[in-house]
Amino acid sequence: MSPQKLSSFSFLFLLKVLIFLLHSTSSASTAGDFPNSSLKRFIISVRRPAAVSHEKSREWHESLLSQLTAAVVNSAAGDTPSAIPRLLHSYTNLLSGFSARLSADELNTISKMDWFINAIPDPVYKLHTTHSPEFLGLLHSPAGAWNDSKQGEGIIIGLLDSGITANHPSFSDQGVPPPPPKWKGKCTFPKPLCNNKLIGAQSFIFGEPDGTPPDDHDGDGHGTHTASTAAGTAVSKAASFGNAAGTAVGMAPRAHIAAYRVCTDDACYDACYGSNILAGMDAAIHDRVDVLSISLGGDADLDFYQDPMAISAFTATSIGIFVSVSAGNDGPEKGTVTNAAPWMLTVGASTMDRRIAADVRFKGESLNQIHDSPARNPIPLVFPGINGDEKPAACSNGSLAGFDVRGKVVVCLRGVNGRVEKGEVVKAAGGAAMILMNTNTAGYTTIADGHVLPASHVSHEDGIKIVEYINTTETATASISFRGTEFRSPFSPSVGDFSSRGPGTASPGILKPDITGPGVSVLAAWHELDPANKKPTFKVLSGTSMSCPHLSGIAALLKAAHMLKGAPRDWSPAAIKSALLTTADVVDRSGKPISDEKRKPADFYALGAGHVNPEKAMNPGLVYDLKKEDYFPYFCGLGYDETLISVIVDREVNCSVVGSIMEAELNYPSFSVELGVGERVVLNRTLTNVGLGSQRYWAEIEPPKGVVVKVVPKRLTFKKLKQEKKFRIVLKRSEEGLEMAKGYLKWVSQSHLVRSPILITSK
Ligand SMILES: *[C@@H]1O[C@H](CO)[C@@H](O)[C@H](O)[C@H]1NC(C)=O
Ligand SMILES: *[C@@H]1O[C@H](CO)[C@@H](O)[C@H](O)[C@H]1NC(C)=O
Ligand SMILES: *[C@@H]1O[C@H](CO)[C@@H](O)[C@H](O)[C@H]1NC(C)=O
Ligand SMILES: *[C@@H]1O[C@H](CO)[C@@H](O)[C@H](O)[C@H]1NC(C)=O
Ligand SMILES: *[C@@H]1O[C@H](CO)[C@@H](O)[C@H](O)[C@H]1NC(C)=O
């Protein structure tokens, strides 16, 4: 068979939707309310009269609603469960308004009131479902980031997630001092379970037993995993299926954790409602967290004023809370990134240099290494998709009926159903082992999953060779050998195939994702007990849900370090983001440009500014800073109505007073501009000195192909800390050519390198 035929075979599957199933709770339903209810959920912004105080706003919201809904409440037949109140949450810290369950008529009446500003449908978000500290260079250096930051001591990381398993050893408070006096949060767990590590635990889900949370407060496990990645206490001999063993420890092991439960896997309430996220964020602001870690995402197409996550994160950011969010698992198609507002840090996912080896004749991966299996020695090998049928190719449930897979090694293609489910289907049909083969789209990203039978996950290239071998051999056989955990894999880090790609829909002129961090096969705490010995467990998961808390923990280290040193103690969220972006790595461990799932150099829509380098981020030299008011002309430039801008910024904005700028003119640490041939754009930027007191920088340019770049002035001299200097960058496209041209602007001094990606797209 010719190679052309093989690639057209795989192309068939490239066209199909690639489903990246993290685990069963990734629900993306758009249901407006509970089953059988005639009501829908809305988030209503209102103008609070001066006579109503901040403290009285809840009473005021209740009175507004009760007048309007009194007539309808009694006749709301079929409205289950009736325990859910009409007023869901009343917001005080991050916007003036409330969320409520309303009928179409009620909404219509409300929209005519003079206190009404606007209403948005309550969107549903989904969860974007430890070796990493070493991989990031945090261990083995007495003088490094962990020492400078005292491992995040004194910093509070809030997580909006599915809850937390309080009694897991990853949340032991051994060696963790009490929370700082500013802390105003609370813990709804029975007392002994909260401690100096886990200082807050609250639920924002209606219908849960009041005050007495369920025994298992994270029925999903997701929130336990993300919290331990951000700030888990070191636990030695942590492992999943005996592999990836070692010490499991979070990025900021001495930071405090506050868990805000906004998602649940309960069958009746399975959703992460925007209204709950707003309520969780409202509480986190009240409680005085320093960093928010949010591994959830919604519809990539929402404008910022329709997106409760973006609205609430804006208020959080403007009072100094750093917000780190996951980019989504909908890659590698372009334009799939979620949470792409410029005030948040949007985190993509990349691989580490660890491989949990399960080798066929090729290099593959499997977490569950089953040594005692017939597949140790060569046994018959089959591919149910050999005739080009999609379902048997994917080993989807019920599709193997016509195939004799008993006692054989079965090749299954990724997509259609979950990766672990494929193994369950093969096992149920009597198969002895599985080779999980990547689609063309997934390329070289392989993942260590806990498969139920001997299995090996192989790249597309290797999979094609295996299929070719089956197709040309009378009695094809295969064996799988398990080699345990191996380090120093080539092409690490590389961007995971599933990691969502830019540009963001709401503001394509801001380069997103911002950065990548470890998000493939990450070991962290898990909510289930080991059935054999009833001990707490750890689990390996993959997703941008896993990379986001890495960055949250590193942001906590930055905050802690600059708090201890005293000097630039008040780094803003934008300054911290700039530090992370301008110091990120752009080459992998072998010195080559960081690659994507195809082993091609990753483009900026996959990689953002690069892969996080926590050591370097501690000391960036210069930062591109932003304050709340800097976003006002940006919103005007997006063409938003002034009323909608006021919903986001919680204050009146007059565009003819504040003016209007292009997206690329925001003082952002990266550049993304669309230019036609001959077109030219001039962008102003301001740099702030956070390095040595006095230092000289010069501009070095790696121009994108076909683009002429000029920087004025080419040298900047800073005399003292916090001093600001302005410069202009002129970008002119000289020739037709690349759809995406990439380059860098680097400000270089004797001790610092401040690098910004420049992405030029064609019109
Ligand atoms: C919804 O209504 C259907 C049919 O009326 C009924 O069978 C079902 O039990 C109801 N579901 C709930 C959750 O009340
Ligand atoms: C570690 O940090 C402390 C300050 O917290 C500092 O005094 C000490 O010199 C640092 N250790 C090294 C090896 O740099
Ligand atoms: C297997 O080989 C046959 C004959 O060369 C070819 O027609 C078919 O497309 C091949 N199937 C696959 C899945 O490669
Ligand atoms: C496959 O479908 C059957 C019947 O619906 C179900 O019992 C079984 O649990 C499914 N298997 C998997 C792995 O989902
Ligand atoms: C905005 O400012 C302009 C110029 O000062 C003024 O004419 C206009 O009335 C203002 N608009 C609003 C809505 O206040």
Side-chain angles (χ1 to χ4, degrees), residues 588-614:
D588 67 16
R589 292 299 145 105
S590 62
K592 299 208 183 71
I594 291 177
S595 56
D596 61 13
E597 70 285 349
K598 294 291 177 58
R599 297 205 166 154
K600 302 240 172 66
D603 67 47
F604 289 164
Y605 283 146
L607 186 63
H611 184 261
V612 63
N613 184 326

PDB file of all heavy atoms in Angstrom, residues 588-614:
ATOM      1  N   ASP A 588      13.171  24.248  23.518  1.00  0.00           N
ATOM      2  CA  ASP A 588      12.971  23.085  24.378  1.00  0.00           C
ATOM      3  C   ASP A 588      14.310  22.628  24.976  1.00  0.00           C
ATOM      4  O   ASP A 588      15.327  23.306  24.820  1.00  0.00           O
ATOM      5  CB  ASP A 588      12.238  21.960  23.640  1.00  0.00           C
ATOM      6  CG  ASP A 588      13.055  21.345  22.506  1.00  0.00           C
ATOM      7  OD1 ASP A 588      14.294  21.558  22.456  1.00  0.00           O
ATOM      8  OD2 ASP A 588      12.461  20.653  21.666  1.00  0.00           O
ATOM      9  N   ARG A 589      14.297  21.463  25.637  1.00  0.00           N
ATOM     10  CA  ARG A 589      15.486  21.007  26.351  1.00  0.00           C
ATOM     11  C   ARG A 589      16.677  20.760  25.427  1.00  0.00           C
ATOM     12  O   ARG A 589      17.812  20.752  25.856  1.00  0.00           O
ATOM     13  CB  ARG A 589      15.165  19.724  27.124  1.00  0.00           C
ATOM     14  CG  ARG A 589      14.211  19.964  28.271  1.00  0.00           C
ATOM     15  CD  ARG A 589      14.833  20.933  29.236  1.00  0.00           C
ATOM     16  NE  ARG A 589      13.833  21.809  29.837  1.00  0.00           N
ATOM     17  CZ  ARG A 589      13.389  21.692  31.075  1.00  0.00           C
ATOM     18  NH1 ARG A 589      13.852  20.764  31.845  1.00  0.00           N
ATOM     19  NH2 ARG A 589      12.485  22.532  31.537  1.00  0.00           N
ATOM     20  N   SER A 590      16.386  20.541  24.120  1.00  0.00           N
ATOM     21  CA  SER A 590      17.503  20.293  23.215  1.00  0.00           C
ATOM     22  C   SER A 590      17.918  21.575  22.503  1.00  0.00           C
ATOM     23  O   SER A 590      18.734  21.546  21.585  1.00  0.00           O
ATOM     24  CB  SER A 590      17.119  19.206  22.206  1.00  0.00           C
ATOM     25  OG  SER A 590      16.032  19.665  21.434  1.00  0.00           O
ATOM     26  N   GLY A 591      17.319  22.704  22.902  1.00  0.00           N
ATOM     27  CA  GLY A 591      17.716  23.978  22.308  1.00  0.00           C
ATOM     28  C   GLY A 591      17.000  24.323  21.018  1.00  0.00           C
ATOM     29  O   GLY A 591      17.298  25.331  20.379  1.00  0.00           O
ATOM     30  N   LYS A 592      16.036  23.483  20.610  1.00  0.00           N
ATOM     31  CA  LYS A 592      15.288  23.766  19.371  1.00  0.00           C
ATOM     32  C   LYS A 592      14.001  24.503  19.728  1.00  0.00           C
ATOM     33  O   LYS A 592      13.498  24.382  20.847  1.00  0.00           O
ATOM     34  CB  LYS A 592      14.932  22.452  18.680  1.00  0.00           C
ATOM     35  CG  LYS A 592      16.130  21.625  18.285  1.00  0.00           C
ATOM     36  CD  LYS A 592      15.793  20.763  17.068  1.00  0.00           C
ATOM     37  CE  LYS A 592      16.955  19.871  16.701  1.00  0.00           C
ATOM     38  NZ  LYS A 592      17.156  18.783  17.688  1.00  0.00           N
ATOM     39  N   PRO A 593      13.438  25.270  18.774  1.00  0.00           N
ATOM     40  CA  PRO A 593      12.170  25.954  19.075  1.00  0.00           C
ATOM     41  C   PRO A 593      11.136  24.954  19.602  1.00  0.00           C
ATOM     42  O   PRO A 593      11.048  23.831  19.095  1.00  0.00           O
ATOM     43  CB  PRO A 593      11.734  26.507  17.713  1.00  0.00           C
ATOM     44  CG  PRO A 593      12.998  26.642  16.940  1.00  0.00           C
ATOM     45  CD  PRO A 593      13.904  25.537  17.403  1.00  0.00           C
ATOM     46  N   ILE A 594      10.388  25.354  20.625  1.00  0.00           N
ATOM     47  CA  ILE A 594       9.384  24.455  21.213  1.00  0.00           C
ATOM     48  C   ILE A 594       8.413  24.016  20.122  1.00  0.00           C
ATOM     49  O   ILE A 594       7.934  24.828  19.326  1.00  0.00           O
ATOM     50  CB  ILE A 594       8.652  25.156  22.375  1.00  0.00           C
ATOM     51  CG1 ILE A 594       9.628  25.347  23.546  1.00  0.00           C
ATOM     52  CG2 ILE A 594       7.434  24.342  22.826  1.00  0.00           C
ATOM     53  CD1 ILE A 594       9.060  26.096  24.728  1.00  0.00           C
ATOM     54  N   SER A 595       8.131  22.710  20.080  1.00  0.00           N
ATOM     55  CA  SER A 595       7.333  22.173  18.987  1.00  0.00           C
ATOM     56  C   SER A 595       5.889  21.983  19.422  1.00  0.00           C
ATOM     57  O   SER A 595       5.547  22.083  20.596  1.00  0.00           O
ATOM     58  CB  SER A 595       7.922  20.845  18.520  1.00  0.00           C
ATOM     59  OG  SER A 595       8.006  19.955  19.615  1.00  0.00           O
ATOM     60  N   ASP A 596       5.037  21.683  18.438  1.00  0.00           N
ATOM     61  CA  ASP A 596       3.640  21.357  18.719  1.00  0.00           C
ATOM     62  C   ASP A 596       3.458  19.846  18.551  1.00  0.00           C
ATOM     63  O   ASP A 596       4.431  19.094  18.458  1.00  0.00           O
ATOM     64  CB  ASP A 596       2.694  22.173  17.824  1.00  0.00           C
ATOM     65  CG  ASP A 596       2.913  21.882  16.341  1.00  0.00           C
ATOM     66  OD1 ASP A 596       3.599  20.887  15.993  1.00  0.00           O
ATOM     67  OD2 ASP A 596       2.382  22.652  15.516  1.00  0.00           O
ATOM     68  N   GLU A 597       2.206  19.395  18.501  1.00  0.00           N
ATOM     69  CA  GLU A 597       1.923  17.965  18.427  1.00  0.00           C
ATOM     70  C   GLU A 597       2.400  17.345  17.117  1.00  0.00           C
ATOM     71  O   GLU A 597       2.499  16.125  17.020  1.00  0.00           O
ATOM     72  CB  GLU A 597       0.417  17.724  18.626  1.00  0.00           C
ATOM     73  CG  GLU A 597      -0.483  18.183  17.480  1.00  0.00           C
ATOM     74  CD  GLU A 597      -0.670  19.694  17.408  1.00  0.00           C
ATOM     75  OE1 GLU A 597      -0.285  20.386  18.360  1.00  0.00           O
ATOM     76  OE2 GLU A 597      -1.192  20.178  16.386  1.00  0.00           O
ATOM     77  N   LYS A 598       2.730  18.179  16.129  1.00  0.00           N
ATOM     78  CA  LYS A 598       3.232  17.656  14.859  1.00  0.00           C
ATOM     79  C   LYS A 598       4.760  17.679  14.782  1.00  0.00           C
ATOM     80  O   LYS A 598       5.328  17.422  13.727  1.00  0.00           O
ATOM     81  CB  LYS A 598       2.662  18.499  13.700  1.00  0.00           C
ATOM     82  CG  LYS A 598       1.150  18.393  13.517  1.00  0.00           C
ATOM     83  CD  LYS A 598       0.810  17.002  13.016  1.00  0.00           C
ATOM     84  CE  LYS A 598      -0.683  16.783  12.865  1.00  0.00           C
ATOM     85  NZ  LYS A 598      -1.356  17.691  11.983  1.00  0.00           N
ATOM     86  N   ARG A 599       5.394  18.041  15.878  1.00  0.00           N
ATOM     87  CA  ARG A 599       6.842  18.211  15.934  1.00  0.00           C
ATOM     88  C   ARG A 599       7.314  19.295  14.989  1.00  0.00           C
ATOM     89  O   ARG A 599       8.463  19.313  14.563  1.00  0.00           O
ATOM     90  CB  ARG A 599       7.577  16.886  15.680  1.00  0.00           C
ATOM     91  CG  ARG A 599       7.246  15.878  16.745  1.00  0.00           C
ATOM     92  CD  ARG A 599       8.287  14.815  16.940  1.00  0.00           C
ATOM     93  NE  ARG A 599       8.041  14.108  18.197  1.00  0.00           N
ATOM     94  CZ  ARG A 599       8.411  12.874  18.445  1.00  0.00           C
ATOM     95  NH1 ARG A 599       9.073  12.182  17.549  1.00  0.00           N
ATOM     96  NH2 ARG A 599       8.137  12.324  19.615  1.00  0.00           N
ATOM     97  N   LYS A 600       6.413  20.238  14.684  1.00  0.00           N
ATOM     98  CA  LYS A 600       6.800  21.449  13.949  1.00  0.00           C
ATOM     99  C   LYS A 600       6.926  22.562  14.995  1.00  0.00           C
ATOM    100  O   LYS A 600       6.262  22.508  16.038  1.00  0.00           O
ATOM    101  CB  LYS A 600       5.688  21.830  12.967  1.00  0.00           C
ATOM    102  CG  LYS A 600       5.363  20.742  11.962  1.00  0.00           C
ATOM    103  CD  LYS A 600       5.601  21.258  10.552  1.00  0.00           C
ATOM    104  CE  LYS A 600       5.486  20.147   9.529  1.00  0.00           C
ATOM    105  NZ  LYS A 600       4.099  19.617   9.440  1.00  0.00           N
ATOM    106  N   PRO A 601       7.741  23.583  14.718  1.00  0.00           N
ATOM    107  CA  PRO A 601       7.809  24.686  15.688  1.00  0.00           C
ATOM    108  C   PRO A 601       6.398  25.206  15.990  1.00  0.00           C
ATOM    109  O   PRO A 601       5.624  25.472  15.067  1.00  0.00           O
ATOM    110  CB  PRO A 601       8.653  25.734  14.959  1.00  0.00           C
ATOM    111  CG  PRO A 601       9.497  24.940  14.014  1.00  0.00           C
ATOM    112  CD  PRO A 601       8.629  23.775  13.567  1.00  0.00           C
ATOM    113  N   ALA A 602       6.061  25.301  17.265  1.00  0.00           N
ATOM    114  CA  ALA A 602       4.707  25.703  17.644  1.00  0.00           C
ATOM    115  C   ALA A 602       4.491  27.161  17.249  1.00  0.00           C
ATOM    116  O   ALA A 602       5.381  27.994  17.420  1.00  0.00           O
ATOM    117  CB  ALA A 602       4.530  25.546  19.154  1.00  0.00           C
ATOM    118  N   ASP A 603       3.295  27.475  16.703  1.00  0.00           N
ATOM    119  CA  ASP A 603       3.050  28.879  16.384  1.00  0.00           C
ATOM    120  C   ASP A 603       2.580  29.607  17.646  1.00  0.00           C
ATOM    121  O   ASP A 603       2.280  28.989  18.667  1.00  0.00           O
ATOM    122  CB  ASP A 603       2.101  29.030  15.188  1.00  0.00           C
ATOM    123  CG  ASP A 603       0.697  28.554  15.478  1.00  0.00           C
ATOM    124  OD1 ASP A 603       0.151  28.926  16.532  1.00  0.00           O
ATOM    125  OD2 ASP A 603       0.140  27.803  14.648  1.00  0.00           O
ATOM    126  N   PHE A 604       2.527  30.938  17.558  1.00  0.00           N
ATOM    127  CA  PHE A 604       2.214  31.716  18.760  1.00  0.00           C
ATOM    128  C   PHE A 604       0.785  31.493  19.242  1.00  0.00           C
ATOM    129  O   PHE A 604       0.494  31.712  20.414  1.00  0.00           O
ATOM    130  CB  PHE A 604       2.449  33.213  18.513  1.00  0.00           C
ATOM    131  CG  PHE A 604       3.910  33.595  18.388  1.00  0.00           C
ATOM    132  CD1 PHE A 604       4.275  34.815  17.843  1.00  0.00           C
ATOM    133  CD2 PHE A 604       4.906  32.744  18.838  1.00  0.00           C
ATOM    134  CE1 PHE A 604       5.607  35.181  17.741  1.00  0.00           C
ATOM    135  CE2 PHE A 604       6.247  33.099  18.735  1.00  0.00           C
ATOM    136  CZ  PHE A 604       6.594  34.324  18.177  1.00  0.00           C
ATOM    137  N   TYR A 605      -0.114  31.072  18.360  1.00  0.00           N
ATOM    138  CA  TYR A 605      -1.485  30.792  18.790  1.00  0.00           C
ATOM    139  C   TYR A 605      -1.559  29.499  19.615  1.00  0.00           C
ATOM    140  O   TYR A 605      -2.561  29.212  20.252  1.00  0.00           O
ATOM    141  CB  TYR A 605      -2.424  30.673  17.589  1.00  0.00           C
ATOM    142  CG  TYR A 605      -2.826  32.000  16.978  1.00  0.00           C
ATOM    143  CD1 TYR A 605      -3.033  32.121  15.609  1.00  0.00           C
ATOM    144  CD2 TYR A 605      -3.025  33.126  17.781  1.00  0.00           C
ATOM    145  CE1 TYR A 605      -3.424  33.328  15.048  1.00  0.00           C
ATOM    146  CE2 TYR A 605      -3.403  34.332  17.220  1.00  0.00           C
ATOM    147  CZ  TYR A 605      -3.602  34.431  15.860  1.00  0.00           C
ATOM    148  OH  TYR A 605      -3.994  35.627  15.300  1.00  0.00           O
ATOM    149  N   ALA A 606      -0.490  28.684  19.561  1.00  0.00           N
ATOM    150  CA  ALA A 606      -0.422  27.482  20.397  1.00  0.00           C
ATOM    151  C   ALA A 606       0.372  27.763  21.672  1.00  0.00           C
ATOM    152  O   ALA A 606      -0.010  27.353  22.761  1.00  0.00           O
ATOM    153  CB  ALA A 606       0.240  26.345  19.618  1.00  0.00           C
ATOM    154  N   LEU A 607       1.468  28.482  21.521  1.00  0.00           N
ATOM    155  CA  LEU A 607       2.471  28.607  22.571  1.00  0.00           C
ATOM    156  C   LEU A 607       2.352  29.895  23.366  1.00  0.00           C
ATOM    157  O   LEU A 607       2.812  29.968  24.507  1.00  0.00           O
ATOM    158  CB  LEU A 607       3.856  28.550  21.891  1.00  0.00           C
ATOM    159  CG  LEU A 607       5.096  28.516  22.758  1.00  0.00           C
ATOM    160  CD1 LEU A 607       5.103  27.258  23.607  1.00  0.00           C
ATOM    161  CD2 LEU A 607       6.341  28.568  21.876  1.00  0.00           C
ATOM    162  N   GLY A 608       1.727  30.932  22.775  1.00  0.00           N
ATOM    163  CA  GLY A 608       1.767  32.244  23.416  1.00  0.00           C
ATOM    164  C   GLY A 608       3.207  32.714  23.483  1.00  0.00           C
ATOM    165  O   GLY A 608       3.992  32.475  22.566  1.00  0.00           O
ATOM    166  N   ALA A 609       3.591  33.314  24.615  1.00  0.00           N
ATOM    167  CA  ALA A 609       4.943  33.848  24.745  1.00  0.00           C
ATOM    168  C   ALA A 609       5.969  32.745  24.979  1.00  0.00           C
ATOM    169  O   ALA A 609       7.163  32.984  24.849  1.00  0.00           O
ATOM    170  CB  ALA A 609       4.998  34.861  25.876  1.00  0.00           C
ATOM    171  N   GLY A 610       5.521  31.528  25.330  1.00  0.00           N
ATOM    172  CA  GLY A 610       6.457  30.435  25.546  1.00  0.00           C
ATOM    173  C   GLY A 610       6.056  29.559  26.713  1.00  0.00           C
ATOM    174  O   GLY A 610       4.916  29.605  27.169  1.00  0.00           O
ATOM    175  N   HIS A 611       7.013  28.781  27.200  1.00  0.00           N
ATOM    176  CA  HIS A 611       6.789  27.858  28.309  1.00  0.00           C
ATOM    177  C   HIS A 611       7.329  28.503  29.584  1.00  0.00           C
ATOM    178  O   HIS A 611       8.441  29.027  29.600  1.00  0.00           O
ATOM    179  CB  HIS A 611       7.531  26.548  28.020  1.00  0.00           C
ATOM    180  CG  HIS A 611       7.295  25.489  29.043  1.00  0.00           C
ATOM    181  ND1 HIS A 611       8.174  25.214  30.049  1.00  0.00           N
ATOM    182  CD2 HIS A 611       6.257  24.641  29.214  1.00  0.00           C
ATOM    183  CE1 HIS A 611       7.697  24.235  30.804  1.00  0.00           C
ATOM    184  NE2 HIS A 611       6.529  23.873  30.313  1.00  0.00           N
ATOM    185  N   VAL A 612       6.544  28.450  30.646  1.00  0.00           N
ATOM    186  CA  VAL A 612       6.894  29.196  31.864  1.00  0.00           C
ATOM    187  C   VAL A 612       8.269  28.800  32.415  1.00  0.00           C
ATOM    188  O   VAL A 612       8.618  27.616  32.452  1.00  0.00           O
ATOM    189  CB  VAL A 612       5.806  29.016  32.947  1.00  0.00           C
ATOM    190  CG1 VAL A 612       5.681  27.559  33.381  1.00  0.00           C
ATOM    191  CG2 VAL A 612       6.084  29.914  34.152  1.00  0.00           C
ATOM    192  N   ASN A 613       9.028  29.796  32.830  1.00  0.00           N
ATOM    193  CA  ASN A 613      10.320  29.580  33.487  1.00  0.00           C
ATOM    194  C   ASN A 613      10.298  30.336  34.822  1.00  0.00           C
ATOM    195  O   ASN A 613      10.605  31.524  34.882  1.00  0.00           O
ATOM    196  CB  ASN A 613      11.455  30.097  32.594  1.00  0.00           C
ATOM    197  CG  ASN A 613      12.822  29.803  33.194  1.00  0.00           C
ATOM    198  OD1 ASN A 613      12.999  29.817  34.421  1.00  0.00           O
ATOM    199  ND2 ASN A 613      13.789  29.523  32.344  1.00  0.00           N
ATOM    200  N   PRO A 614       9.912  29.636  35.911  1.00  0.00           N
ATOM    201  CA  PRO A 614       9.690  30.326  37.184  1.00  0.00           C
ATOM    202  C   PRO A 614      10.934  31.048  37.725  1.00  0.00           C
ATOM    203  O   PRO A 614      10.821  32.147  38.261  1.00  0.00           O
ATOM    204  CB  PRO A 614       9.275  29.206  38.150  1.00  0.00           C
ATOM    205  CG  PRO A 614       9.219  27.954  37.373  1.00  0.00           C
ATOM    206  CD  PRO A 614       9.605  28.207  35.974  1.00  0.00           C
TER     207      PRO A 614
END
